[in-house]
Amino acid sequence: MSMAGIRTWLNRNQKWLAIMVVIVLAGILWWVWHSIQTPAPVSAASSYYFYDTSTRQVSVRPATELPPLKNAAGKRTVVRAVFITCTSCGNRQLGYLLKYTAAARSAKKYLDNPPGKGAPQNEIGQFASEVPTLKLQVANGTLIRLPKTGAHWVYAQSPQGTAIIRKVTECPGHRYARTCVP
């Protein structure tokens, strides 16, 4: 087909070409909007770092274990170690330690084991109605402290706790550190 033939065909089919261009552009815009709006899936950590406050040893344990845990001597001195970094996790530092009160541990265990698909509807409904309260119990029962000897445990939601977290997660250039997991 010559240039004159193509030009004649385009002139005769302007309406259909405009409709096709609009459809293609709408498809592109939908795809861009969808890719922007759909967050990348975040996978939960399967393990965490733990720290024995009596021996100062760091270990890796399953994320399902809720501190404080018993050490080899049977004392509850093993707590979660939160490592942070401003660069890469190869350059991580121990930011703070974390453990739960007995009530928060109990609430977290219940939250982590919801009724299964085959559970009675009333049991599922009961669990769903308790979720906000249980999450609040976990948040209010989370204790943190600095890793240095003699540091006191404080509630993570308290002014002292939030100050600790803010201080250890500040990076140069008004950026915040990220948490490192094994």
Side-chain angles (χ1 to χ4, degrees):
M1 194 178 251
S2 68
M3 286 298 262
I6 293 173
R7 190 171 295 157
T8 303
W9 184 85
L10 288 173
N11 286 336
R12 283 189 211 150
N13 297 300
Q14 284 181 353
K15 181 171 109 178
W16 294 109
L17 286 172
I19 290 171
M20 288 175 54
V21 167
V22 168
I23 289 171
V24 169
L25 286 176
I28 291 170
L29 288 173
W30 176 84
W31 179 78
V32 169
W33 178 257
H34 182 70
S35 62
I36 290 171
Q37 294 300 314
T38 306
V42 178
S43 61
S46 60
S47 58
Y48 288 117
Y49 292 108
F50 285 81
Y51 181 86
D52 189 332
T53 57
S54 63
T55 64
R56 297 182 168 202
Q57 295 294 314
V58 175
S59 60
V60 175
R61 294 183 179 219
T64 54
E65 294 193 24
L66 303 174
L69 305 168
K70 291 181 181 177
N71 66 3
K75 295 184 179 184
R76 290 197 175 271
T77 60
V78 178
V79 296
R80 188 170 299 156
V82 179
F83 282 92
I84 53 103
T85 184
C86 291
T87 55
S88 71
C89 285
N91 220 12
R92 70 180 185 264
Q93 295 179 330
L94 180 54
Y96 58 93
L97 306 175
L98 179 147
K99 68 178 182 178
Y100 301 103
T101 63
R105 283 172 48 131
S106 173
K108 186 138 176 57
K109 282 180 187 177
Y110 186 54
L111 278 171
D112 291 346
N113 297 298
K117 289 183 181 181
Q121 198 63 30
N122 63 342
E123 188 178 319
I124 294 171
Q126 178 69 27
F127 178 80
S129 69
E130 294 174 352
V131 166
T133 304
L134 293 168
K135 286 184 176 182
L136 190 59
Q137 278 182 318
V138 172
N140 288 337
T142 302
L143 302 166
I144 65 167
R145 75 165 202 167
L146 291 171
K148 60 185 172 185
T149 305
H152 297 286
W153 290 100
V154 297
Y155 287 97
Q157 299 289 328
S158 70
Q160 299 91 347
T162 56
I164 289 171
I165 293 170
R166 185 174 41 253
K167 183 177 179 186
V168 301
T169 59
E170 286 180 346
C171 292
H174 301 292
R175 295 179 307 118
Y176 289 95
R178 64 186 178 98
T179 304
C180 298
V181 292

